[in-house]
Amino acid sequence: MALVHWRQHSMQLITDRAEFTQFTDENLGSTDWQHAAESYLDARVEGRAFTAHGHWPRGVQRTLKQPLEQHVIFSHVVCDHFTGAVMVSTDIAAVNLATLCTWAAAGSPESLTVQPDGTDGHRQVRERGDG
C-alpha cells in the first residue's frame, strides 16, 4: 500500500485493482458505491489532465510540462444529524481517474496495475491496419 502526504496528513494512494477492492470492502460496509454516502464517504476530483501519464500530487510534479493527473480523492465525512451538512471531512485515499475508468470498463482484474514508470499495465498500442 502506497501512502502519499497530502494536506498535512498521509492517505492511501491506490495503484491497483486489488487495493481498490480492499478499500471498498473496508470503507463501504454493507452498502455499494451507489449508496456510498450511507457509509459516510464522499469523493471529489482534483488535477488537470485526464491521463495516467503525469504526476500527482503537485509535490511530485517534476516540471510544468508533466501534467497534473486527475485523481478521485475519497473522504470520510461527519455530518450534522439534523441538517445533513458536512462538518468534518478527512481525505483517506486517492486513485487516478483514468485508471479508475479503465477498471470500471474492464472485465478482468488481471494486469490492471500502474507500472513503476507510471504507465498502466493493461494498455495496448494498436498497430496500423488493426480494425
Side-chain angles (χ1 to χ4, degrees):
M1 172 177 69
L3 293 178
V4 64
H5 189 70
W6 175 251
R7 296 187 180 168
Q8 314 302 324
H9 71 279
S10 295
M11 70 173 165
Q12 179 183 5
L13 182 58
I14 299 169
T15 58
D16 67 45
R17 198 168 180 174
E19 288 177 341
F20 186 70
T21 300
Q22 181 179 356
F23 173 82
T24 299
D25 293 344
E26 292 173 356
N27 291 283
L28 285 183
S30 61
T31 63
D32 59 23
W33 281 107
Q34 293 180 347
H35 302 96
E38 294 173 8
S39 293
Y40 304 102
L41 279 181
D42 195 16
R44 69 183 183 283
V45 175
E46 292 190 6
R48 300 188 69 177
F50 187 45
T51 181
H53 298 289
H55 291 280
W56 187 90
R58 184 167 298 284
V60 299
Q61 187 179 13
R62 307 267 192 285
T63 69
L64 292 177
K65 291 182 179 180
Q66 295 171 317
L68 190 61
E69 299 172 344
Q70 290 180 329
H71 271 66
V72 177
I73 301 171
F74 297 103
S75 304
H76 272 298
V77 295
V78 176
C79 296
D80 181 279
H81 291 288
F82 296 107
T83 66
V86 174
M87 299 179 68
V88 178
S89 178
T90 304
D91 298 337
I92 57 172
V95 63
N96 178 281
L97 178 60
T99 300
L100 186 61
C101 291
T102 301
W103 294 340
S108 172
E110 286 80 29
S111 75
L112 295 179
T113 59
V114 177
Q115 303 301 309
D117 65 356
T119 60
D120 294 333
H122 58 278
R123 294 207 173 129
Q124 296 178 358
V125 177
R126 265 189 199 183
E127 296 292 327
R128 287 189 190 261
D130 290 354

